[in-house]
Amino acid sequence: MATPDTPSFDQGFWQEHWNDSERAAAKPVAANPYVERETSGLPRGTAIDAGCGAGAEAILLAQQGWRVTAADISSAALAKAKANAADEAEGIEWLEADLSTFSPDRQWDLVMTNYAHPSIPQLDFYQRIAGWVAPGGTLLIVAHGRAHSHGHHAPEDQPEDVQRTSDDIASLFSEPEWQVVSAYEESRSVGEGRPHLSDTVVRVTRAADTIKS
């Protein structure tokens, strides 16, 4: 829950964020490196990017042959993502939705989220989107690490709840339904004069005999 000192991360927050003139005019950024690293060996199928923002990761998946649903709470974010997608736009379904309440009538072979800041507690959000993974499918979570210093927002806009370790996230997924494939923290630079990023990456697969809940 938001307090006077922390943002609510609701639709109004994200609309304002993506309508910011400097951010709206910024050049497209490259997809984070974990998406290609963690999905390169997976068979292509359907995918959803939950909280797609400007669309870099959804676009990368579409370029690699995935049939992608790019979902975000902000229409301004989706407009920027569509503009960034260019020729790949035809291979992407755009979905404006509040993912903290959205209840899809389908599942995907790959459910992915990258640095999403939902209006509900972070770990609750991950458990929520895990239900969207088809039997035999994959869930990929890229989150802010504990030593986080990210360029997307000022540090004061990042409450502790959005910063998670790999153990925090991996502990949500237990056998026999889930198998943890990757769980690690990594720091990286995104360019001279910009802060290093502290990232947490977790990839899990769902058992093929899982019954849809």
Side-chain angles (χ1 to χ4, degrees):
M1 179 179 297
T3 72
D5 298 321
T6 61
S8 62
F9 295 132
D10 58 7
Q11 186 176 39
F13 174 91
W14 289 114
Q15 280 291 90
E16 182 178 353
H17 172 80
W18 288 107
N19 278 322
D20 174 85
S21 59
E22 182 177 348
R23 187 169 288 105
K27 295 180 180 179
V29 297
N32 73 61
Y34 314 110
V35 173
E36 185 168 11
R37 179 190 303 174
E38 296 294 335
T39 66
S40 61
L42 300 178
R44 298 325 189 228
T46 60
I48 182 170
D49 185 357
C52 67
E57 288 77 26
I59 293 166
L60 176 62
L61 289 183
Q63 291 171 335
Q64 294 180 339
W66 292 86
R67 301 186 301 281
V68 182
T69 300
D72 203 278
I73 195 173
S74 168
S75 60
L78 290 172
K80 184 170 180 61
K82 290 178 186 179
N84 291 341
D87 294 341
E88 285 77 29
E90 292 185 3
I92 302 175
E93 173 191 2
W94 307 99
L95 175 65
E96 182 181 341
D98 182 346
L99 301 179
S100 66
T101 59
F102 176 56
S103 296
D105 58 2
R106 58 173 295 190
Q107 292 177 307
W108 288 267
D109 300 312
L110 171 64
V111 175
M112 173 181 71
T113 188
N114 300 274
Y115 310 119
H117 295 180
S119 58
I120 61 175
Q122 200 74 26
L123 296 183
D124 290 353
F125 175 68
Y126 298 148
Q127 289 181 304
R128 190 171 210 286
I129 65 174
W132 307 349
V133 180
T138 294
L139 173 63
L140 173 61
I141 296 168
V142 180
H144 299 311
R146 288 292 192 192
H148 177 67
S149 178
H150 199 281
H152 282 39
H153 312 288
E156 60 268 22
D157 285 344
Q158 298 157 8
E160 185 177 354
D161 183 62
V162 307
Q163 302 172 18
R164 292 293 171 179
T165 68
S166 57
D167 286 344
D168 290 337
I169 299 172
S171 66
L172 301 174
F173 305 102
S174 56
E175 297 180 344
E177 183 177 5
W178 298 97
Q179 178 184 4
V180 177
V181 179
S182 300
Y184 56 93
E185 287 101 34
E186 186 169 302
S187 295
R188 62 189 176 99
S189 172
V190 291
E192 186 176 353
R194 298 187 64 188
H196 275 69
L197 309 188
S198 175
D199 298 325
T200 296
V201 182
V202 174
R203 174 163 61 101
V204 298
T205 57
R206 194 172 198 175
D209 59 355
T210 300
I211 299 175
K212 181 178 178 179
S213 57

